[in-house]
Amino acid sequence: MVFQGLPVSDPPENWKEMEKSVAQILTASGMDTEIQKAINLARGTVTVDVFAQPKKSLYGPIICECKYWNTAVPQEKVFAFSRIVGDSGASLGLLISRFGFQEGAINAARYSNIKLLSWPEFIEYVKPFWLCETTRRCLGFGRVLLKYSDPLDVPTHLIGDQGRAEYKKLLSKYRGLVQLLSSLNIEVISQVEYPAMLRDGDIVCAADAFVNHYADMLQVRTADQLFTFLVDTCEQAINEFDNVFNGFDLDDTPYEEVTKYADDLIEALFPEEHSSSREYGENEVSRIKFEHQNATTDLIRWIRKTVRTGYA
């Protein structure tokens, strides 16, 4: 599977496209970016290829220099770029080269805050930033949908028999999406504020595994397609649930009222497990949160059908 934050993961074809692609990917990774930005230094003003400011971390600005050359970058270019990064107060400099770096350049950057990256290395370097930002975007939709998918968390006692029948259909229709969202621990990932911690920790590994697993399972080619599908389908599902609960207070969920209908509604989410759920007492039923980690055959079949309409 090809990692892709935007449709720009393929190597650029010229220097202008390289600058544009770098800016697009960093923007999709939660940063404010500018191309060909003039910045003030102690010795005057200099224009940098891409200037990026992370929105949600303690990182300072990131300056990117793009070298679409047919030769390896020499060490004097690294020294010059290092002075710009240092004088500007930036926290990091990314020097991205089409044709690699001379040995002297590699040595010059070894103990500095300059990263020397080929295009594929740049994609891999920003991948954790992108995963963190993308899961934040999914989080807003995911929270609402997971709330809607729990009959014990919405006022099913207020919507009447017809409303509950429609609600049950929606639970059955979107049960695969609910389980898929639950498989991605967006709550944990969204709280990470330090990309360095995300890069080195288990969280990015878990998110990466999720992307690779479901991209293969659902026959989508890229991580971007997978997350775009999640957001678009969540929005569609939430709109349909909104229509059922239109005008009702979602926080009005008294336990003694909603549990009257919970057993029947749970069947829509877990038809194969429903027979055993009848053996539970009310206290056990109230603890069901529908955040299961295993994708069922129904989940795979339903999402594959949906994905093929626009993302396969």
Side-chain angles (χ1 to χ4, degrees):
M1 185 198 69
V2 177
F3 169 77
Q4 186 170 309
L6 284 171
V8 291
S9 61
D10 292 334
E13 297 182 357
N14 54 62
W15 66 269
K16 185 170 288 189
E17 185 179 310
M18 179 180 278
E19 289 182 356
K20 181 180 178 181
S21 296
V22 167
Q24 284 181 315
I25 291 173
L26 294 180
T27 298
S29 301
M31 306 183 196
D32 293 320
T33 62
E34 292 185 56
I35 297 174
Q36 292 293 307
K37 178 179 174 62
I39 58 175
N40 295 320
L41 306 178
R43 300 175 181 84
T45 301
V46 65
T47 300
V48 298
D49 291 344
V50 180
F51 183 89
Q53 177 63 62
K55 298 177 184 177
K56 297 184 177 181
S57 80
L58 296 181
Y59 270 59
I62 298 174
I63 294 177
C64 303
E65 188 78 8
C66 301
K67 299 299 184 185
Y68 195 85
W69 295 352
N70 292 322
T71 58
V73 176
Q75 68 175 8
E76 56 264 27
K77 294 299 181 182
V78 175
F79 286 139
F81 184 51
S82 180
R83 284 194 294 271
I84 292 174
V85 172
D87 290 351
S88 69
S91 63
L92 182 66
L94 303 181
L95 186 52
I96 305 158
S97 171
R98 176 194 182 197
F99 207 77
F101 303 89
Q102 294 180 6
E103 183 177 354
I106 295 172
N107 291 332
R110 194 178 305 277
Y111 301 108
S112 72
N113 62 339
I114 305 298
K115 297 284 185 184
L116 307 184
L117 304 169
S118 66
W119 183 256
E121 288 170 340
F122 168 70
I123 295 296
E124 285 301 311
Y125 185 79
V126 299
K127 185 176 181 177
F129 294 81
W130 182 86
L131 281 170
C132 190
E133 179 64 18
T134 302
T135 50
R136 281 196 179 99
R137 293 201 302 269
C138 288
L139 177 62
F141 293 101
R143 278 179 175 158
V144 176
L145 184 57
L146 289 173
K147 181 180 179 68
Y148 267 139
S149 68
D150 186 346
L152 296 170
D153 208 22
V154 289
T156 54
H157 64 300
L158 296 177
I159 59 178
D161 292 341
Q162 183 176 348
R164 282 188 291 274
E166 181 61 28
Y167 178 57
K168 186 175 181 178
K169 290 180 183 178
L170 293 178
L171 290 179
S172 180
K173 178 180 179 180
Y174 290 111
R175 67 171 178 243
L177 181 62
V178 169
Q179 292 184 22
L180 179 59
L181 277 173
S182 299
S183 297
L184 175 60
N185 195 343
I186 54 179
E187 287 283 356
V188 175
I189 297 174
S190 67
Q191 293 172 9
V192 175
E193 294 293 336
Y194 304 98
M197 291 173 61
L198 180 66
R199 181 182 311 284
D200 298 331
D202 293 334
I203 295 174
V204 70
C205 296
D208 220 3
F210 172 88
V211 167
N212 283 294
H213 176 66
Y214 281 105
D216 179 65
M217 180 183 293
L218 306 178
Q219 301 176 2
V220 293
R221 293 192 312 108
T222 69
D224 182 53
Q225 288 178 343
L226 177 61
F227 282 115
T228 299
F229 161 74
L230 279 177
V231 171
D232 290 348
T233 314
C234 275
E235 187 170 22
Q236 173 187 321
I238 289 168
N239 286 337
E240 293 185 36
F241 280 109
D242 281 344
N243 289 335
V244 173
F245 289 96
N246 184 33
F248 294 104
D249 183 2
L250 294 185
D251 294 323
D252 184 14
T253 53
Y255 171 80
E256 64 278 2
E257 294 293 334
V258 297
T259 51
K260 296 177 183 178
Y261 311 102
D263 195 57
D264 177 58
L265 296 170
I266 288 170
E267 184 179 8
L269 277 169
F270 307 108
E272 296 160 0
E273 302 172 16
H274 184 60
S275 58
S276 61
S277 72
R278 292 182 186 276
E279 300 173 4
Y280 298 153
E282 285 190 349
N283 290 336
E284 288 295 322
V285 173
S286 69
R287 286 156 52 186
I288 295 176
K289 295 301 182 182
F290 313 118
E291 296 180 348
H292 291 259
Q293 296 298 312
N294 297 322
T296 64
T297 302
D298 280 348
L299 178 153
I300 300 169
R301 184 183 300 115
W302 177 82
I303 299 181
R304 274 185 174 170
K305 180 179 178 181
T306 307
V307 171
R308 284 172 180 160
T309 63
Y311 297 98

